[in-house]
Amino acid sequence: KGYDVLIRAMTELPGCCLVLLGEGPERARLTKLARQLGVEDRVELAGWIPSPWTDHFRFDVIAVPSSFEGFGLVAVEALLAGIPVVASRVGGLAEIVHDGETGLLVEPGDPSALAHALRELLTDPARRDVMGRRGRDDALQRFTPAAMASAYEAFLSSAISGHSRHPLSRR
């Protein structure tokens, strides 16, 4: 998931706090990395949080620094909550996050690029709010159960008629 990249980015984001949600075998390694980099006082490993996580926390920005990602459910959940996303330009994330509109995309594995994008949004509340609203509107149009069912129905109809296009594509 690229959490190590995110922790490395924290060295370039003084004054920012990071909350990592989820549980897994990397916890000890990530805790050690945060300590080695001197950011452990600004990194919280919150563990598993029941869904929806957006009911438990309010974040300014969500980072999804994956090195690969099939769909990116966390990014969709953030957008539905009106939170802009900074994500790696990989897999489904590049289809979910519209660079410069609903969030920012960065190359995977680059802590400095990730820190730069996060800083852009963290220091510009007006831009963050606009992206959050656009992201929510876009996610409501594309990623609610009803919207997805409708998109797949249209896709299947067009596939049968020979004019297919990806059901979740905005373009």
Side-chain angles (χ1 to χ4, degrees):
K1 293 293 181 183
Y3 297 139
D4 59 325
V5 175
L6 185 51
I7 291 173
R8 290 179 195 289
M10 288 297 292
T11 64
E12 299 180 39
L13 296 166
C16 292
C17 295
L18 169 64
V19 178
L20 292 175
L21 304 180
E23 196 62 59
E26 294 294 306
R27 185 183 186 95
R29 187 177 72 81
L30 295 172
T31 300
K32 181 179 177 182
L33 178 61
R35 188 174 43 256
Q36 288 172 337
L37 295 173
V39 297
E40 73 275 11
D41 60 326
R42 297 186 292 118
V43 175
E44 176 186 349
L45 279 74
W48 182 82
I49 303 296
S51 291
W53 57 265
T54 54
D55 285 352
H56 302 274
F57 292 93
R58 177 64 188 139
F59 297 108
D60 292 324
V61 178
I62 298 298
V64 187
S66 302
S67 55
F68 61 90
E69 190 75 50
F71 178 66
L73 182 58
V74 168
V76 171
E77 291 170 335
L79 294 174
L80 285 168
I83 307 168
V85 176
V86 173
S88 298
R89 189 184 314 275
V90 296
L93 291 172
E95 289 291 321
I96 294 167
V97 177
H98 299 292
D99 195 22
E101 293 179 38
T102 64
L104 299 173
L105 295 172
V106 298
E107 293 307 312
D110 186 342
S112 290
L114 182 60
H116 177 77
L118 288 167
R119 189 179 310 104
E120 272 189 54
L121 295 184
L122 291 170
T123 59
D124 191 344
R127 184 176 183 203
R128 199 169 59 233
D129 289 345
V130 168
M131 283 185 169
R133 282 192 304 276
R134 285 181 186 158
R136 180 167 168 68
D137 290 346
D138 183 59
L140 286 171
Q141 288 179 355
R142 297 191 303 143
F143 298 116
T144 61
M148 292 180 79
S150 177
Y152 279 114
E153 183 180 331
F155 174 71
L156 292 173
S157 293
S158 65
I160 291 169
S161 68
H163 301 17
S164 64
R165 122 183 201 297
H166 191 278
L168 300 179
S169 176
R170 192 174 82 154
R171 297 172 187 105

